Amino acid sequence: MNLYRETQPHAGFGILLDVMSQKPKPGFVFTSNVDGHFQKAGFAEDRIVECHGSLQFIQCIDPSRCSRGANDAVHSSSGLLSCFPIDPSRAPEPRGASDAVIASSADVKPVVDLATLHAESATIPRCPAGCDKIGRPNVLMFGDGSFAWARTDEQEVRYERWQAEMRAAGARLVVIELGAGKAVPTVRRASEVAANSFKDSTLIRINPREHGIPKGTYEGISVPMGSLAALQAIQDHLKSD
């Protein structure tokens, strides 16, 4: 956690923010990163989906048995996954631990012995709801049945609302996908579904190895490059126009 906090976003974040800010309609970020670098680089908090959660927030390690129970101030308003299309006639299904308390981890400063990888017990965070259990990062792990979905669900609701507003305005969507691999294809799937849901859309897939694009209703542009180099090339091209 401390290493993530100390690491600064690379120049590509600033380039992407600059490219998005030049467009007449607001953009949106869908990321599987958990480091909070988009917010640190200046992207608006209410225009980001962190589909795997964020290290900037903590939750109870066992929210289903948290003695505090549900928190009225933090509720999941949807169980929708934004990489699938919405069926407005079907009520969303909760994804478990959706009412758990989620709090900022800004004051969490674990002291870790790097030789043993053991943390000093006094610096281990406690459940933000105030129960007797320890706290854990609000980050989705593999096979994670205790992840608290409330914050991510709220982000995804805003993302779906933004897409609906952009479609209603007749906007042409351009998806710039950066370094999303096939091993955990959440971001790739979300990119393809979003591009397919807009008319005359474009999907730009930037990946040095896994840059293939399946056939869809969108224009696909495959870029076999690293993210920073590709973003610099895009910025240079826009400046030359």
Side-chain angles (χ1 to χ4, degrees), residues 20 24 36 101 118 159 221:
M20 287 175 60
V101 177
H118 288 171
Y159 176 56
I221 300 176

Side-chain angles (χ1 to χ4, degrees), residues 133-166:
K133 298 181 180 68
I134 67 172
R136 53 158 278 189
N138 182 225
V139 171
L140 180 64
M141 309 292 184
F142 288 104
D144 191 349
S146 297
F147 177 70
W149 285 97
R151 182 172 176 272
T152 302
D153 280 350
E154 289 171 0
Q155 290 179 330
E156 292 187 344
V157 167
R158 289 195 292 269
Y159 176 56
E160 298 289 1
R161 188 181 299 127
W162 169 81
Q163 286 194 62
E165 291 170 355
M166 293 301 101

Side-chain angles (χ1 to χ4, degrees), residues 217-235:
T217 60
Y218 48 78
E219 177 187 5
I221 300 176
S222 178
V223 182
M225 296 174 66
S227 296
L228 180 56
L231 286 171
Q232 289 171 330
I234 290 172
Q235 186 182 49

Side-chain angles (χ1 to χ4, degrees), residues 38-117:
F38 280 100
Q39 290 91 333
K40 192 181 287 189
F43 289 80
E45 173 71 40
D46 63 351
R47 295 198 176 277
I48 300 172
V49 173
E50 293 159 301
C51 64
H52 293 164
S54 172
L55 284 168
Q56 308 305 315
F57 293 84
I58 61 169
Q59 61 166 89
C60 183
I61 196 168
D62 188 8
S64 64
R65 293 185 175 88
C66 180
S67 60
R68 168 71 182 272
N71 174 22
D72 290 338
V74 184
H75 278 289
S76 167
S77 46
S78 173
L80 297 171
L81 279 170
S82 57
C83 54
F84 297 100
I86 290 180
D87 178 357
S89 67
R90 195 165 65 86
E93 299 175 0
R95 293 192 277 188
S98 59
D99 290 331
V101 177
I102 301 172
S104 170
S105 64
D107 295 330
V108 176
K109 296 179 173 62
V111 177
V112 179
D113 184 329
L114 296 181
T116 64
L117 296 182

